[in-house]
Amino acid sequence: MKRTNAKRVSRAASTLGMPTVQELYRPLVRALKALGGSGSVDEMDAKTVELLGLPDSIANVLQNPENDTRTVVEYRLAWARNRLKHADVLVNSSRGV
């Protein structure tokens, strides 16, 4: 996912409209299906954001602007992937998930 417009916004001020990890499960699975069943992390993240129709003001909020370049959405999608893998819904492959 491209982060060219990522903003340094306080997480507390920007969480309105931010999907939770649990709210990302189904859109993540839909994104994976739309990608043909597998994809890189960046491809899955971008497709999930696209399917959710998240505005840039939500999609580009940085998780930890001081120390990290990941967005809150990328961070939560990583947790969603992790939990879906542990539930045997997703399987790691050589190309991504």
Side-chain angles (χ1 to χ4, degrees):
M1 184 163 38
K2 211 171 189 182
R3 294 181 211 85
T4 55
N5 296 327
K7 299 177 183 176
R8 290 180 175 255
V9 178
S10 112
R11 280 183 40 202
S14 64
T15 55
L16 187 60
M18 184 72 66
T20 65
V21 171
Q22 293 81 8
E23 291 170 335
L24 291 170
Y25 295 157
R26 286 187 182 170
L28 180 56
V29 171
R30 284 192 354 246
L32 197 52
K33 286 181 182 178
L35 291 168
S38 69
S40 70
V41 169
D42 287 341
E43 290 170 332
M44 288 184 286
D45 288 357
K47 185 54 112 174
T48 303
V49 168
E50 176 189 326
L51 291 173
L52 287 169
L54 292 178
D56 288 344
S57 60
I58 297 293
N60 292 326
V61 175
L62 294 175
Q63 170 69 16
N64 185 350
E66 312 277 318
N67 302 316
D68 199 354
T69 59
R70 285 186 304 175
T71 67
V72 174
V73 173
E74 289 170 329
Y75 183 79
R76 291 180 181 180
L77 280 166
W79 275 108
R81 277 190 303 278
N82 180 275
R83 291 178 182 172
L84 290 172
K85 286 177 209 172
H86 284 281
D88 292 328
V89 175
L90 300 181
V91 177
N92 272 339
S93 71
S94 61
R95 183 167 180 255
V97 176

